[in-house]
Amino acid sequence: MSYDTPDSAISELPATLEQARADARLRQLTYAGGVSPIDAWALAQNGEAVLVDVRSAEERTFVGHIPGAVHVPWATGTSLTRNPRFVRELEAKVSSAGGKDAVVLLLCRSGKRSALAAEAAAKAGFSAVFNVFEGFEGELDAHQHRGLRDGWRFHGLPWVQD
Ligand SMILES: O=S(=O)([O-])[S-]
């Protein structure tokens, strides 16, 4: 296991996240674990976690975004250039929720970028950063379309467009 969290912090996590952490240990993930979009929304609504959208500003504007979610891009622009300040920006944006000890749920388009972002955050010392599986748009289906198989919007969770 390459992340290190005190037992006291683990026992304070909601059951969903305890389970996610246990699964992550079994799978030897380098970050705290992952949750479904439905669980992520419930945790955020209950004030048990901070939901952070790591997609680009363009994706949020043109595809849609989640009301109340914090925005810290993992990559920027249409070419998705890696954001070198990601970890510092994340720490600043969740400082009131505990900084590196905040319970954070990272969401991207389909869960891959957010997994990379979670790994980077864990490596930088964040103790409870989780990935939101499936992401906002979900995985591509057999017709190269997103949104018809899984993802935040597929599950009918709240989102808005500018
Ligand atoms: O955002 S992504 O997981 O589709 S690369």
Side-chain angles (χ1 to χ4, degrees), residues 30-31 74 82-83 86-87 90 100 106 113-126 129:
T30 56
Y31 57 95
W74 169 250
R82 170 84 193 277
N83 173 10
F86 174 77
V87 168
L90 180 62
K100 286 186 173 176
L106 302 183
R113 258 177 291 164
S114 48
L116 293 175
E119 281 180 10
K123 198 171 170 193
F126 281 80
V129 174

Side-chain angles (χ1 to χ4, degrees), residues 39-123:
D39 284 341
W41 179 242
L43 289 161
Q45 285 291 97
N46 292 340
E48 294 173 301
V50 182
L51 188 56
V52 177
D53 189 338
V54 304
R55 294 175 302 153
S56 69
E58 290 81 359
E59 286 174 287
R60 286 168 51 87
T61 298
F62 297 117
V63 182
H65 57 93
I66 300 162
V70 171
H71 181 219
V72 183
W74 169 250
T76 59
T78 51
S79 57
L80 293 179
T81 304
R82 170 84 193 277
N83 173 10
R85 297 176 302 281
F86 174 77
V87 168
R88 268 176 288 147
E89 288 177 8
L90 180 62
E91 188 172 4
K93 289 271 178 84
V94 301
S95 62
S96 62
K100 286 186 173 176
D101 289 322
V103 179
V104 177
L105 312 175
L106 302 183
L107 172 125
C108 68
R109 181 179 60 180
S110 67
K112 297 179 193 73
R113 258 177 291 164
S114 48
L116 293 175
E119 281 180 10
K123 198 171 170 193

